[in-house]
Amino acid sequence: MTERTTRDKARLFGFWLGLAAFALLLIFPVDPGNLAASRLAAVAALMAIWWITEAIPLFATALMPLVLFPLLGIMAGRETAPVYINSTIVLFIGGFMIALTMEKWNLHRRIALAIIHYVGGGPARIVLGFMVASAFLSMWISNTATAVTMVPIGLAIVSQMEERAGDRARQFSTGLMLGIAYGCSTGGMTTLVGTPPNLSFVRIYQIMFPDAPEIAFGQWLIVAFPIGVIMLLAAWLLITQVLYRAPVEIAADRAVIDRERARLGPMSFEERAVLTVFTTTALLWVFRADLNLGAFTLPGWSGLLPWPKLIDDGTVAIAMASLMFFIPARDSEGRPTRLQDAGVIPRLPWNVVLLIGGGFALATGFQQTGLAEMIGGQFGAAGELPVFLLILLVCLSLTFLTELTSNTATTEMILPILAAVAVVSGTHPLVLMIPATMSASCAFMMPVATPPNAIVFGSNRISIAQMARAGIFLNLIGALVIASVVYTLGLVVFDIDPGALPEWATAIAVE
């Protein structure tokens, strides 16, 4: 039986299992006193099973609330539809437009090659160079695009070393491919635009707690960046010094990287213009809102404007992305054009936009029908656990769950429940929701866990066993690192008292 046949059977089984669960929960409501919440539970079960098994495309499952919410009396269609487009989606679209412009003018490739050139040397340093480049690019552009960019460059290095060293280069090639995948994952978790689960968290948090202070780009970066750096170094050491240590006498010919850089030629006006827009956008994101650094608070630039509370990260993203439609440029044939044109719109990942929107609709239903309180009420005992242990359990659960499911779909299913659990247990919601979101990006074991894992696995230079061998250690390390940093630095940056429930969080409190 082929892998494709097995996958098709699993999808067919998931399709009918989802329908069966949906029907059973409609016939036997979980709470006869709250039929709206009971019907939402049926929809949530259907979507969860279809997302996990990928019975139909993920985005198609995400569209179900638009049909089922009005039909089942959960929410009106005119109330459900606007949930799919909001400021978080605007941030995603604006950020992706800038990323696609970087790809259009090959700026991302130049940045990657420059980092590898300056970091690379011996086998371990070459792997570090690729990991740093992958992580940096994944902070700002799709980690899928980053992996697609980095793997061919890596394979050129691997082929050159295999010609010179034969089987002795096998450890190096395995380590390099894993390093690219893990660099993409660790980099993406460090910024709000780096990976869809981060954006899902921001919006679901707003839905569940409308009066809560916003999560600013700079706040997230201050907490997540150290985690990304620690995880990057841990992955590098594990790969190059423990599991797949290459002989020190093996060295790659720097000419391979130099040749790739030479093909790009001198930096063009267009690349410099895109780099300026990209750098300015990053700085505006980081320093827009006040940053609490513990000893002092760094004022944000938005405070200088007449209406600072009306400005958010989505405003910045669209403003800077729009600039690129005005800046003149020349195409490869010398004809006048602009840095970006209408061709960017079809290239936007609308399937991801719909997937995220479906999660937002589900979260809104959880909040409005009271299903979140109903589920949260079953976890009241969680409040008796030490806070750090509770965080660690959340991290481990999300890390291993996303090995087999879409990390975006997983976070959108779990975050509303964790919000309710936090309220019931008297814990600050961010103490559970932030670690869960970050852990969704720390699935390192399986090729299906993340797009970078799948792309690297497709290079035919690594096996599932090799990936799982390194990944299980990194999964455990990641859970411990995330829990530790959030429990220390995160409490300061987000002004969290872990054992106290903020006033704005009592809106979904269980009586």
Side-chain angles (χ1 to χ4, degrees), residues 104-127:
K104 176 181 178 179
W105 299 104
N106 253 341
L107 177 61
H108 65 312
R109 187 175 179 86
R110 185 181 296 277
I111 292 173
L113 289 171
I115 294 173
I116 297 167
H117 173 79
Y118 289 112
V119 176
R125 288 183 61 187
I126 291 173
V127 173

Side-chain angles (χ1 to χ4, degrees), residues 3-39:
E3 181 182 348
R4 180 174 180 178
T5 302
T6 303
R7 190 165 55 246
D8 288 344
K9 287 188 174 181
R11 287 173 176 166
L12 183 61
F13 174 76
F15 177 80
W16 290 110
L17 179 63
L19 289 179
F22 176 70
L24 282 173
L25 288 172
L26 287 180
I27 296 170
F28 305 104
V30 294
D31 182 3
N34 187 344
L35 291 179
S38 298
R39 290 190 287 266

